[in-house]
Amino acid sequence: MNQNIQGVRTDLALEAREMLTKKIRQDIPGVLMETAENDDILITRVDITTPEAERMMGKVQGKYVTLEAPGLRYKNTPLQKKIMGFLAQELADLVKLSPNATVLIVGLGNWNITPDALGPRVAHKIVVTRHLQEMLSPELKGGVRSVCAIAPGVLGITGMETGEIIQGIVNNIKPDLVIAIDALAAASSQRVITTIQLANTGIHPGSGVGNKRFGLTQQSLGAPVIAIGVPTVVHASTIAMDTINTLQEHATFARYFKSMANLSDQDRQTIVRQVLPEMLGDLMVTPKEVDRLIEDIAAVVSGGINQALHPNIDYENIHLYLH
Amino acid sequence: MNQNIQGVRTDLALEAREMLTKKIRQDIPGVLMETAENDDILITRVDITTPEAERMMGKVQGKYVTLEAPGLRYKNTPLQKKIMGFLAQELADLVKLSPNATVLIVGLGNWNITPDALGPRVAHKIVVTRHLQEMLSPELKGGVRSVCAIAPGVLGITGMETGEIIQGIVNNIKPDLVIAIDALAAASSQRVITTIQLANTGIHPGSGVGNKRFGLTQQSLGAPVIAIGVPTVVHASTIAMDTINTLQEHATFARYFKSMANLSDQDRQTIVRQVLPEMLGDLMVTPKEVDRLIEDIAAVVSGGINQALHPNIDYENIHLYLH
Amino acid sequence: MNQNIQGVRTDLALEAREMLTKKIRQDIPGVLMETAENDDILITRVDITTPEAERMMGKVQGKYVTLEAPGLRYKNTPLQKKIMGFLAQELADLVKLSPNATVLIVGLGNWNITPDALGPRVAHKIVVTRHLQEMLSPELKGGVRSVCAIAPGVLGITGMETGEIIQGIVNNIKPDLVIAIDALAAASSQRVITTIQLANTGIHPGSGVGNKRFGLTQQSLGAPVIAIGVPTVVHASTIAMDTINTLQEHATFARYFKSMANLSDQDRQTIVRQVLPEMLGDLMVTPKEVDRLIEDIAAVVSGGINQALHPNIDYENIHLYLH
Amino acid sequence: MNQNIQGVRTDLALEAREMLTKKIRQDIPGVLMETAENDDILITRVDITTPEAERMMGKVQGKYVTLEAPGLRYKNTPLQKKIMGFLAQELADLVKLSPNATVLIVGLGNWNITPDALGPRVAHKIVVTRHLQEMLSPELKGGVRSVCAIAPGVLGITGMETGEIIQGIVNNIKPDLVIAIDALAAASSQRVITTIQLANTGIHPGSGVGNKRFGLTQQSLGAPVIAIGVPTVVHASTIAMDTINTLQEHATFARYFKSMANLSDQDRQTIVRQVLPEMLGDLMVTPKEVDRLIEDIAAVVSGGINQALHPNIDYENIHLYLH
């Protein structure tokens, strides 16, 4: 379920709240928010606590945490390490895990479509250990959880719903936790690649770059599901909608209009269809260097997950344990 | 030199002419145009014949041919073959080549940035034969020209201007013709991947997805330069500008405005900068499946060039000649 | 279970039979063989019919068919098409499939290790249709089976046995047939990339380039399993062993030896360990162009499977049905 | 020019010297050698000082330095960093460079053939700065040389000799030094990926995995040329030859032979041709994980070169200077 307020789509709870607050000009009942700032990193925790808030926000009830840092677009090693640490911490706060837990990482999305390839790339960088549990030296036990990972591919590639594949695997492996990674759509181009969202809600149909038809939730899988996502695109229609919104919202431009505030939803759609005659949603806005950026952010997300799941691994000397 | 009319950027002469004609509400003096239609394929030939037309169009004097077919977005083998044939024909019409000519293919752009990777991918699919000339069987001679190809990489990867690299190679190899392939920006999302442009003007600074600082022209290289390009992106700012233009141009929306016709260029920029606070031009609109689409269109472009340069090769049995 | 006769390892029943026949200097009881030749293609059908034959051959009881054509190493389009047809035919002969059957294709092996990447690359080229069954036009029904495909990745990447993953999926999807594709090891470098083996035995531990620890069989999955493989490597130790065997077997060299026939297995091992001090099996012999060759042969194998499973699809016009 | 002693081919001066010394059972006149050991790293400096030594060794006169560390096959970050430092030091010792020197890095080899892709991958990881010289902050000047890089591709891809391409570029760019990176063949599988060779001799025809037909030398280019290489393969024929040599050289096996010592070169060739009926040299022995290993060693080689050329760059904070 992704938000669609005035034609603007977003998978970020943060943005859905921003847009809705702006529209209704007041706080949203049942939505709690807190923020923390650390140097260049802004942490926002949104908690959707009532069914009514879920309906208004267009986002499933639960906790959503975002880490934002514009610097993530640049190969800034110290910043990347800092964010890995925060991500590990927020993940550990969202779900309490026993040292003996088995965790299944699911990399959602299509590896052939760069902006949708975040999930598969993160899955590939996870330190998998489930097959090594007997071989681990005693001092590592307790700090190296049993982790496995898969990037199942999308419906068009496999002919199977991702949900069908993951359900089958979960039934066989019986993990204590599933972490699903997915590429998201943002409403603002500034949040693309600069924001990481964690949620304890699982994955819901219609979300993500690839527009899922299935869900991965505690209900469907029988295990808790944490969703971690990074916006990699803005829908092209959002740019057009946003242009209209900007025109009508800014006092500067008021002199041009008789009554822009009343521009009907239908008229908005007409304009967007004129500018983007394609099937809406098939055109995406991405930074030109999206290939490199996805690679970099995948390293950050996988680094954070690895730290949260394997606190005792010394990554500088990872070769000592793992071959 | 790419067109920039009312903030909308395009590398297609066809679109520059469309926009300008709409703006000045008359034909552009010194610009000739003819079209031909064949089933699903539209061929347009634009000839910019005067310095004044060059200035108005923001495009260098010379001949521009576009092949348009919306079907190019789908894996339609018969259509692809038909367009290869047309492309070969238009190329042969633009430049008369002796059977003994040596041709250098230059694949411009950055192979790490998918929408900018058209040139390198086409170069890679060219049947290079310059090193095989002595080995060719007599019946092939005359129908297999001496062809070589290079994708030199972009300034940020090599530290050298593409012009410097190609000039050095041209001085050594002395080709009779250079064909430069490049990814382009269109004004309309419908032309992305569905249009191929050939021009006898060479490559000029500022054009293409990667915004060249150099030119590849007869003047700079000492050999004629044919440019072949395919639009792979629309600049995100074009979407925003286009939205504003649509609003103000359509009579339907006139009732909202006092005086939208007068929206100043500065105000337009203010809006776009609000919607897209990034450095303009760094955000691009592409179809989601751009990876596959670039691969497909690269096969069509290289197929057309191969046919034009090697009319005697039987591609079904290419293995018989070439190893 | 792969053959290991005099230190020479092979996954091909054909080669196991050759080596054993040469060693025991007589036909192997319980092993039937027939061959057919068609232009440049040799078809060999080996049938292992008794437990004793299974033990002697080091290969599970069942039918093994090989298609051999040295021309497969070259981009010979007509030959490739012919072999796709033969492969489709042999596959149809090995297993009778109802037009309504659901088939799961499993691409085994590691996509990061080129010679082990055959399975994933074939899986990727399969025309998957299971998700399209309701959308198919009536004239296609009956000629387009319900096909799905997955390349699950290897133990070191997922932390899960391939068997665990596939079992989970099979339990959910309930296919009527599983076809598992895998890269194999040959005894002779001449068979690398030039040979395709089909077997109705499934996949057994210890076989393939990646040395599986699991099996994919009717017994483990509850559905019949066809294995299709292509040798992509020769183990380096096989080259060394083969050198020793050649020395001692050829009359020409007899003058050098007192008693080479008696070279003990232990002495052979000593020599190989001297020449190849690495862990045996980690060094592989491949043609230099293995990347391109794997890509080409994957197209042939997937083409044959697609023809067998979807006899009614017109591949020239595949875009008409599938989007 | 690569060594070919008793049918065993190597591009390493170190191995050529080893084999020749063993064969002639004495030191080679005109060949100087010194070694240094540091923990797990062995540095060997071979100096070929006379035309007679050049002829005997089958290696051009000049200095060859090898760094050997078996640990290079494992993702051992501290070891990798140590070797980068040694490589930078040895490179600085081989050629004195002014702080204002312009350096051209040439990545030789074919990026489509994994074991031949070392050069292109190293070139890609070089910090190129030639286009940024005016933008550098004053405190960096002097410690960041003007570096450019190109991977021109091989003859079969471009139709042009690498020498032709590089000569053209060198004429235009006029670098003070050329560093050419290439994948090599070793005689011993243990040296594959564990050894880095530097030489002040440039590149000579016949060397490397791809068997060059051209040279890149001070004579051909007009600038000094440092060659840096890593063995990525052993020729399959070397394994066979080595097996024969082992058989005949080890006292243990003497009891089998009448007169193995006299095994003629022609008989050796007969055996190898029997075992490897392919065109010799087309079959290569590589570790199974060659894809990952090439990536890792390319990072080490490029890291060493970057350190040598840009001593003042703080790589942890490279993002601060370079965008």
Side-chain angles (χ1 to χ4, degrees), chain B residues 97-119:
Chain B
L97 263 190
S98 119
N100 302 315
T102 292
V103 181
L104 172 64
I105 310 293
V106 178
L108 297 170
N110 187 341
W111 47 76
N112 291 321
I113 294 178
T114 309
D116 199 24
L118 177 78

Side-chain angles (χ1 to χ4, degrees), chain B:
Chain B
M1 175 157 52
N2 76 345
Q3 183 49 312
N4 195 318
I5 294 171
Q6 299 190 290
V8 172
R9 294 164 61 188
T10 178
D11 291 312
L12 297 175
L14 177 73
E15 289 188 339
R17 191 193 151 280
E18 265 173 26
M19 290 190 291
L20 194 56
T21 308
K22 201 161 85 178
K23 192 182 177 193
I24 66 176
R25 289 155 205 253
Q26 60 167 73
D27 279 355
I28 310 156
V31 175
L32 309 179
M33 190 180 90
E34 63 173 40
T35 61
E37 218 169 333
N38 181 304
D39 294 345
D40 304 329
I41 305 167
L42 177 66
I43 302 181
T44 308
R45 297 184 193 89
V46 173
D47 196 353
I48 303 179
T49 62
T50 64
E52 172 62 10
E54 170 170 323
R55 199 193 49 76
M56 287 181 74
M57 289 275 286
K59 294 261 164 269
V60 166
Q61 253 184 270
K63 291 176 194 294
Y64 300 81
V65 182
T66 43
L67 307 171
E68 285 179 85
L72 274 172
R73 290 228 188 137
Y74 310 104
K75 271 199 158 306
N76 181 337
T77 315
L79 176 67
Q80 289 173 335
K81 284 188 183 165
K82 215 155 88 181
I83 292 182
M84 286 182 209
F86 282 121
L87 175 53
Q89 187 55 54
E90 295 295 329
L91 184 52
D93 288 354
L94 265 187
V95 60
K96 298 302 166 210
L97 263 190
S98 119
N100 302 315
T102 292
V103 181
L104 172 64
I105 310 293
V106 178
L108 297 170
N110 187 341
W111 47 76
N112 291 321
I113 294 178
T114 309
D116 199 24
L118 177 78
R121 296 216 193 162
V122 169
H124 187 63
K125 289 173 194 287
I126 292 296
V127 177
V128 298
T129 51
R130 181 172 167 274
H131 59 310
L132 301 170
Q133 289 298 305
E134 307 92 80
M135 287 183 264
L136 287 178
S137 53
E139 76 271 20
L140 281 179
K141 294 265 173 157
V144 176
R145 288 196 180 80
S146 172
V147 173
C148 49
I150 194 160
V154 296
L155 185 63
I157 285 179
T158 64
M160 299 177 276
E161 291 283 353
T162 305
E164 292 179 294
I165 297 174
I166 298 307
Q167 212 172 52
I169 294 173
V170 165
N171 285 347
N172 243 15
I173 303 289
K174 308 218 176 301
D176 301 294
L177 174 68
V178 173
I179 300 179
I181 325 296
D182 200 10
L184 306 178
S188 156
S189 61
Q190 287 177 292
R191 289 226 171 75
V192 168
I193 308 288
T194 64
T195 304
I196 303 171
Q197 174 175 277
L198 299 86
N200 67 358
T201 57
I203 299 281
H204 292 270
S207 64
V209 170
N211 259 317
K212 272 107 214 129
R213 311 195 317 198
F214 65 91
L216 290 183
T217 61
Q218 176 138 21
Q219 204 176 352
S220 69
L221 295 183
V225 182
I226 298 285
I228 300 183
V230 174
T232 61
V233 306
V234 173
H235 290 287
S237 54
T238 293
I239 301 291
M241 280 299 180
D242 217 17
T243 306
I244 301 172
N245 296 341
T246 303
L247 250 178
Q248 82 172 65
E249 282 159 15
H250 279 254
T252 337
F253 306 122
R255 62 193 151 100
Y256 291 119
F257 304 114
K258 282 189 208 143
S259 56
M260 189 71 172
N262 306 333
L263 195 67
S264 70
D265 277 1
Q266 197 186 319
D267 282 345
R268 287 156 173 282
Q269 292 295 345
T270 305
I271 294 166
V272 173
R273 231 173 273 125
Q274 182 82 18
V275 176
L276 299 164
E278 321 272 326
M279 276 168 43
L280 292 185
D282 276 1
L283 287 168
M284 298 180 310
V285 181
T286 61
K288 196 160 64 180
E289 293 175 300
V290 66
D291 303 65
R292 178 185 68 72
L293 293 171
I294 296 269
E295 196 56 30
D296 287 357
I297 198 75
V300 172
V301 172
S302 58
I305 297 174
N306 283 331
Q307 268 183 45
L309 301 182
H310 308 309
N312 285 10
I313 286 186
D314 166 6
Y315 288 90
E316 266 285 284
N317 288 299
I318 202 168
H319 67 288
L320 296 177
Y321 314 114
L322 288 182
H323 70 86

Side-chain angles (χ1 to χ4, degrees), chain C residues 73 112-114 190 247 253 255-258 263-264 267 271 274 278 282 284-286 288 291, chain D residues 73 112-114 246-247 253 255-259 263-264 267 271 277-278 282 284-286 288 291:
Chain C
R73 289 228 190 137
N112 290 320
I113 294 180
T114 309
Q190 288 178 290
L247 249 179
F253 307 121
R255 62 192 152 101
Y256 292 118
F257 305 115
K258 285 188 204 140
L263 195 69
S264 71
D267 282 346
I271 294 166
Q274 182 81 21
E278 321 272 326
D282 276 3
M284 299 181 310
V285 181
T286 61
K288 195 160 64 181
D291 302 64
Chain D
R73 290 228 190 137
N112 291 320
I113 294 179
T114 309
T246 304
L247 249 178
F253 306 122
R255 59 189 154 99
Y256 292 118
F257 303 115
K258 284 189 209 142
S259 57
L263 195 68
S264 69
D267 282 346
I271 294 166
E278 322 272 328
D282 276 3
M284 299 181 309
V285 182
T286 60
K288 195 159 65 180
D291 303 63

Side-chain angles (χ1 to χ4, degrees), chain C:
Chain C
M1 178 158 50
N2 76 343
Q3 181 51 309
N4 194 320
I5 293 171
Q6 298 191 289
V8 171
R9 296 165 59 188
T10 179
D11 291 312
L12 296 175
L14 176 74
E15 289 187 340
R17 191 193 150 281
E18 263 174 24
M19 288 190 290
L20 194 58
T21 309
K22 200 162 85 178
K23 192 181 179 193
I24 68 177
R25 287 157 206 255
Q26 60 167 70
D27 278 358
I28 309 156
V31 176
L32 309 179
M33 191 181 89
E34 63 173 40
T35 61
E37 218 170 332
N38 182 304
D39 294 343
D40 303 331
I41 305 167
L42 178 66
I43 302 181
T44 308
R45 299 185 191 86
V46 173
D47 196 352
I48 303 178
T49 63
T50 66
E52 172 62 9
E54 169 169 325
R55 200 195 47 76
M56 287 181 72
M57 289 275 287
K59 295 258 163 272
V60 166
Q61 256 185 265
K63 290 177 195 295
Y64 299 82
V65 182
T66 43
L67 306 171
E68 285 178 85
L72 275 172
R73 289 228 190 137
Y74 309 103
K75 271 201 158 304
N76 180 337
T77 315
L79 176 68
Q80 289 172 334
K81 285 187 183 165
K82 216 155 88 180
I83 292 181
M84 287 181 207
F86 282 121
L87 174 53
Q89 187 54 53
E90 296 294 330
L91 184 52
D93 288 354
L94 265 187
V95 61
K96 297 302 167 212
L97 263 191
S98 119
N100 302 316
T102 292
V103 182
L104 172 64
I105 310 292
V106 179
L108 298 170
N110 187 342
W111 47 77
N112 290 320
I113 294 180
T114 309
D116 200 23
L118 178 77
R121 296 215 194 162
V122 170
H124 187 62
K125 291 173 193 287
I126 292 296
V127 177
V128 298
T129 50
R130 180 172 168 275
H131 58 309
L132 302 171
Q133 289 297 304
E134 308 91 79
M135 287 181 263
L136 286 178
S137 52
E139 75 272 21
L140 281 178
K141 293 264 174 157
V144 176
R145 289 195 179 82
S146 171
V147 173
C148 49
I150 194 161
V154 297
L155 185 62
I157 285 179
T158 64
M160 298 177 275
E161 291 283 353
T162 305
E164 293 179 294
I165 297 173
I166 299 305
Q167 213 171 52
I169 295 172
V170 165
N171 285 347
N172 242 17
I173 303 287
K174 307 215 178 304
D176 302 292
L177 173 68
V178 174
I179 301 179
I181 324 295
D182 200 11
L184 305 178
S188 157
S189 62
Q190 288 178 290
R191 289 224 172 75
V192 168
I193 308 286
T194 65
T195 303
I196 302 170
Q197 176 176 274
L198 298 87
N200 66 359
T201 56
I203 298 282
H204 292 270
S207 63
V209 169
N211 261 316
K212 271 106 216 132
R213 311 192 321 195
F214 65 91
L216 291 182
T217 62
Q218 174 137 27
Q219 206 176 351
S220 69
L221 295 183
V225 182
I226 298 285
I228 301 183
V230 173
T232 60
V233 305
V234 173
H235 289 286
S237 55
T238 293
I239 300 290
M241 280 299 181
D242 218 17
T243 306
I244 301 171
N245 295 343
T246 303
L247 249 179
Q248 82 172 64
E249 282 159 15
H250 278 253
T252 338
F253 307 121
R255 62 192 152 101
Y256 292 118
F257 305 115
K258 285 188 204 140
S259 58
M260 190 71 172
N262 305 334
L263 195 69
S264 71
D265 276 3
Q266 198 188 320
D267 282 346
R268 288 158 171 283
Q269 291 294 344
T270 306
I271 294 166
V272 173
R273 231 173 273 125
Q274 182 81 21
V275 175
L276 299 164
E278 321 272 326
M279 277 169 42
L280 293 184
D282 276 3
L283 286 168
M284 299 181 310
V285 181
T286 61
K288 195 160 64 181
E289 293 174 301
V290 67
D291 302 64
R292 178 184 68 75
L293 293 170
I294 296 268
E295 196 54 32
D296 287 356
I297 197 76
V300 172
V301 172
S302 58
I305 296 173
N306 283 333
Q307 267 182 44
L309 299 181
H310 308 308
N312 284 11
I313 286 186
D314 166 6
Y315 287 91
E316 266 285 284
N317 289 299
I318 203 168
H319 66 287
L320 295 178
Y321 315 115
L322 290 181
H323 71 86

